[in-house]
mmCIF file with all atom_site columns, all heavy atoms in Angstrom:
data_model
loop_
_atom_site.group_PDB
_atom_site.id
_atom_site.type_symbol
_atom_site.label_atom_id
_atom_site.label_alt_id
_atom_site.label_comp_id
_atom_site.label_asym_id
_atom_site.label_entity_id
_atom_site.label_seq_id
_atom_site.pdbx_PDB_ins_code
_atom_site.Cartn_x
_atom_site.Cartn_y
_atom_site.Cartn_z
_atom_site.occupancy
_atom_site.B_iso_or_equiv
_atom_site.pdbx_formal_charge
_atom_site.auth_seq_id
_atom_site.auth_comp_id
_atom_site.auth_asym_id
_atom_site.auth_atom_id
_atom_site.pdbx_PDB_model_num
ATOM 1  N N   . VAL W 1 167 ? 3.736  -5.831 -33.785 1.00 97.00 ? 1232 VAL W N   1
ATOM 2  C CA  . VAL W 1 167 ? 3.654  -5.035 -35.011 1.00 97.00 ? 1232 VAL W CA  1
ATOM 3  C C   . VAL W 1 167 ? 3.447  -5.935 -36.227 1.00 97.00 ? 1232 VAL W C   1
ATOM 4  O O   . VAL W 1 167 ? 2.669  -5.618 -37.134 1.00 97.00 ? 1232 VAL W O   1
ATOM 5  C CB  . VAL W 1 167 ? 4.911  -4.166 -35.169 1.00 97.00 ? 1232 VAL W CB  1
ATOM 6  C CG1 . VAL W 1 167 ? 4.901  -3.443 -36.516 1.00 97.00 ? 1232 VAL W CG1 1
ATOM 7  C CG2 . VAL W 1 167 ? 5.013  -3.156 -34.027 1.00 97.00 ? 1232 VAL W CG2 1
ATOM 8  N N   . ALA W 1 168 ? 4.103  -7.094 -36.244 1.00 97.00 ? 1233 ALA W N   1
ATOM 9  C CA  . ALA W 1 168 ? 3.965  -8.006 -37.375 1.00 97.00 ? 1233 ALA W CA  1
ATOM 10 C C   . ALA W 1 168 ? 2.549  -8.558 -37.502 1.00 97.00 ? 1233 ALA W C   1
ATOM 11 O O   . ALA W 1 168 ? 2.122  -8.932 -38.606 1.00 97.00 ? 1233 ALA W O   1
ATOM 12 C CB  . ALA W 1 168 ? 4.957  -9.164 -37.238 1.00 97.00 ? 1233 ALA W CB  1
ATOM 13 N N   . ALA W 1 169 ? 1.802  -8.613 -36.387 1.00 97.00 ? 1234 ALA W N   1
ATOM 14 C CA  . ALA W 1 169 ? 0.441  -9.134 -36.413 1.00 97.00 ? 1234 ALA W CA  1
ATOM 15 C C   . ALA W 1 169 ? -0.587 -8.093 -36.853 1.00 97.00 ? 1234 ALA W C   1
ATOM 16 O O   . ALA W 1 169 ? -1.765 -8.413 -37.010 1.00 97.00 ? 1234 ALA W O   1
ATOM 17 C CB  . ALA W 1 169 ? 0.063  -9.676 -35.038 1.00 97.00 ? 1234 ALA W CB  1
ATOM 18 N N   . VAL W 1 170 ? -0.127 -6.850 -37.050 1.00 97.00 ? 1235 VAL W N   1
ATOM 19 C CA  . VAL W 1 170 ? -1.025 -5.777 -37.477 1.00 97.00 ? 1235 VAL W CA  1
ATOM 20 C C   . VAL W 1 170 ? -1.151 -5.798 -38.998 1.00 97.00 ? 1235 VAL W C   1
ATOM 21 O O   . VAL W 1 170 ? -0.207 -6.146 -39.719 1.00 97.00 ? 1235 VAL W O   1
ATOM 22 C CB  . VAL W 1 170 ? -0.482 -4.411 -36.998 1.00 97.00 ? 1235 VAL W CB  1
ATOM 23 C CG1 . VAL W 1 170 ? -1.328 -3.265 -37.526 1.00 97.00 ? 1235 VAL W CG1 1
ATOM 24 C CG2 . VAL W 1 170 ? -0.430 -4.367 -35.471 1.00 97.00 ? 1235 VAL W CG2 1
ATOM 25 N N   . ASP W 1 171 ? -2.319 -5.424 -39.486 1.00 97.00 ? 1236 ASP W N   1
ATOM 26 C CA  . ASP W 1 171 ? -2.511 -5.301 -40.924 1.00 97.00 ? 1236 ASP W CA  1
ATOM 27 C C   . ASP W 1 171 ? -1.418 -4.399 -41.515 1.00 97.00 ? 1236 ASP W C   1
ATOM 28 O O   . ASP W 1 171 ? -1.121 -3.345 -40.955 1.00 97.00 ? 1236 ASP W O   1
ATOM 29 C CB  . ASP W 1 171 ? -3.890 -4.695 -41.197 1.00 97.00 ? 1236 ASP W CB  1
ATOM 30 C CG  . ASP W 1 171 ? -4.202 -4.597 -42.671 1.00 97.00 ? 1236 ASP W CG  1
ATOM 31 O OD1 . ASP W 1 171 ? -3.844 -3.562 -43.269 1.00 97.00 ? 1236 ASP W OD1 1
ATOM 32 O OD2 . ASP W 1 171 ? -4.781 -5.543 -43.220 1.00 97.00 ? 1236 ASP W OD2 1
ATOM 33 N N   . PRO W 1 172 ? -0.812 -4.812 -42.623 1.00 97.00 ? 1237 PRO W N   1
ATOM 34 C CA  . PRO W 1 172 ? 0.314  -4.034 -43.174 1.00 97.00 ? 1237 PRO W CA  1
ATOM 35 C C   . PRO W 1 172 ? 0.013  -2.551 -43.371 1.00 97.00 ? 1237 PRO W C   1
ATOM 36 O O   . PRO W 1 172 ? 0.896  -1.712 -43.191 1.00 97.00 ? 1237 PRO W O   1
ATOM 37 C CB  . PRO W 1 172 ? 0.596  -4.733 -44.508 1.00 97.00 ? 1237 PRO W CB  1
ATOM 38 C CG  . PRO W 1 172 ? 0.156  -6.146 -44.289 1.00 97.00 ? 1237 PRO W CG  1
ATOM 39 C CD  . PRO W 1 172 ? -1.048 -6.045 -43.398 1.00 97.00 ? 1237 PRO W CD  1
ATOM 40 N N   . ALA W 1 173 ? -1.212 -2.224 -43.723 1.00 96.00 ? 1238 ALA W N   1
ATOM 41 C CA  . ALA W 1 173 ? -1.554 -0.822 -43.960 1.00 96.00 ? 1238 ALA W CA  1
ATOM 42 C C   . ALA W 1 173 ? -1.482 0.018  -42.691 1.00 96.00 ? 1238 ALA W C   1
ATOM 43 O O   . ALA W 1 173 ? -1.357 1.248  -42.762 1.00 96.00 ? 1238 ALA W O   1
ATOM 44 C CB  . ALA W 1 173 ? -2.951 -0.725 -44.576 1.00 96.00 ? 1238 ALA W CB  1
ATOM 45 N N   . ASN W 1 174 ? -1.560 -0.625 -41.522 1.00 95.00 ? 1239 ASN W N   1
ATOM 46 C CA  . ASN W 1 174 ? -1.593 0.113  -40.262 1.00 95.00 ? 1239 ASN W CA  1
ATOM 47 C C   . ASN W 1 174 ? -0.336 -0.078 -39.409 1.00 95.00 ? 1239 ASN W C   1
ATOM 48 O O   . ASN W 1 174 ? -0.259 0.452  -38.307 1.00 95.00 ? 1239 ASN W O   1
ATOM 49 C CB  . ASN W 1 174 ? -2.819 -0.318 -39.446 1.00 95.00 ? 1239 ASN W CB  1
ATOM 50 C CG  . ASN W 1 174 ? -4.114 -0.025 -40.155 1.00 95.00 ? 1239 ASN W CG  1
ATOM 51 O OD1 . ASN W 1 174 ? -4.284 1.046  -40.735 1.00 95.00 ? 1239 ASN W OD1 1
ATOM 52 N ND2 . ASN W 1 174 ? -5.052 -0.974 -40.124 1.00 95.00 ? 1239 ASN W ND2 1
ATOM 53 N N   . ARG W 1 175 ? 0.624  -0.848 -39.900 1.00 96.00 ? 1240 ARG W N   1
ATOM 54 C CA  . ARG W 1 175 ? 1.786  -1.173 -39.073 1.00 96.00 ? 1240 ARG W CA  1
ATOM 55 C C   . ARG W 1 175 ? 2.594  0.052  -38.675 1.00 96.00 ? 1240 ARG W C   1
ATOM 56 O O   . ARG W 1 175 ? 3.040  0.169  -37.526 1.00 96.00 ? 1240 ARG W O   1
ATOM 57 C CB  . ARG W 1 175 ? 2.682  -2.177 -39.807 1.00 96.00 ? 1240 ARG W CB  1
ATOM 58 C CG  . ARG W 1 175 ? 2.161  -3.594 -39.760 1.00 96.00 ? 1240 ARG W CG  1
ATOM 59 C CD  . ARG W 1 175 ? 3.026  -4.545 -40.546 1.00 96.00 ? 1240 ARG W CD  1
ATOM 60 N NE  . ARG W 1 175 ? 2.403  -5.858 -40.643 1.00 96.00 ? 1240 ARG W NE  1
ATOM 61 C CZ  . ARG W 1 175 ? 2.784  -6.799 -41.493 1.00 96.00 ? 1240 ARG W CZ  1
ATOM 62 N NH1 . ARG W 1 175 ? 3.792  -6.575 -42.337 1.00 96.00 ? 1240 ARG W NH1 1
ATOM 63 N NH2 . ARG W 1 175 ? 2.147  -7.961 -41.525 1.00 96.00 ? 1240 ARG W NH2 1
ATOM 64 N N   . ALA W 1 176 ? 2.795  0.972  -39.596 1.00 96.00 ? 1241 ALA W N   1
ATOM 65 C CA  . ALA W 1 176 ? 3.605  2.155  -39.288 1.00 96.00 ? 1241 ALA W CA  1
ATOM 66 C C   . ALA W 1 176 ? 2.964  2.965  -38.175 1.00 96.00 ? 1241 ALA W C   1
ATOM 67 O O   . ALA W 1 176 ? 3.654  3.437  -37.266 1.00 96.00 ? 1241 ALA W O   1
ATOM 68 C CB  . ALA W 1 176 ? 3.796  3.003  -40.541 1.00 96.00 ? 1241 ALA W CB  1
ATOM 69 N N   . ARG W 1 177 ? 1.638  3.112  -38.230 1.00 95.00 ? 1242 ARG W N   1
ATOM 70 C CA  . ARG W 1 177 ? 0.924  3.876  -37.200 1.00 95.00 ? 1242 ARG W CA  1
ATOM 71 C C   . ARG W 1 177 ? 1.001  3.187  -35.853 1.00 95.00 ? 1242 ARG W C   1
ATOM 72 O O   . ARG W 1 177 ? 1.238  3.825  -34.819 1.00 95.00 ? 1242 ARG W O   1
ATOM 73 C CB  . ARG W 1 177 ? -0.535 4.064  -37.621 1.00 95.00 ? 1242 ARG W CB  1
ATOM 74 C CG  . ARG W 1 177 ? -1.411 4.729  -36.578 1.00 95.00 ? 1242 ARG W CG  1
ATOM 75 C CD  . ARG W 1 177 ? -0.903 6.097  -36.199 1.00 95.00 ? 1242 ARG W CD  1
ATOM 76 N NE  . ARG W 1 177 ? -1.777 6.760  -35.238 1.00 95.00 ? 1242 ARG W NE  1
ATOM 77 C CZ  . ARG W 1 177 ? -1.381 7.685  -34.383 1.00 95.00 ? 1242 ARG W CZ  1
ATOM 78 N NH1 . ARG W 1 177 ? -0.101 8.073  -34.375 1.00 95.00 ? 1242 ARG W NH1 1
ATOM 79 N NH2 . ARG W 1 177 ? -2.234 8.229  -33.557 1.00 95.00 ? 1242 ARG W NH2 1
ATOM 80 N N   . VAL W 1 178 ? 0.812  1.885  -35.827 1.00 96.00 ? 1243 VAL W N   1
ATOM 81 C CA  . VAL W 1 178 ? 0.890  1.147  -34.568 1.00 96.00 ? 1243 VAL W CA  1
ATOM 82 C C   . VAL W 1 178 ? 2.298  1.211  -33.989 1.00 96.00 ? 1243 VAL W C   1
ATOM 83 O O   . VAL W 1 178 ? 2.493  1.455  -32.792 1.00 96.00 ? 1243 VAL W O   1
ATOM 84 C CB  . VAL W 1 178 ? 0.444  -0.315 -34.769 1.00 96.00 ? 1243 VAL W CB  1
ATOM 85 C CG1 . VAL W 1 178 ? 0.715  -1.134 -33.510 1.00 96.00 ? 1243 VAL W CG1 1
ATOM 86 C CG2 . VAL W 1 178 ? -1.032 -0.374 -35.136 1.00 96.00 ? 1243 VAL W CG2 1
#
Side-chain angles (χ1 to χ4, degrees):
V1232 174
V1235 175
D1236 183 272
N1239 299 317
R1240 282 177 188 165
R1242 175 59 178 154
V1243 172

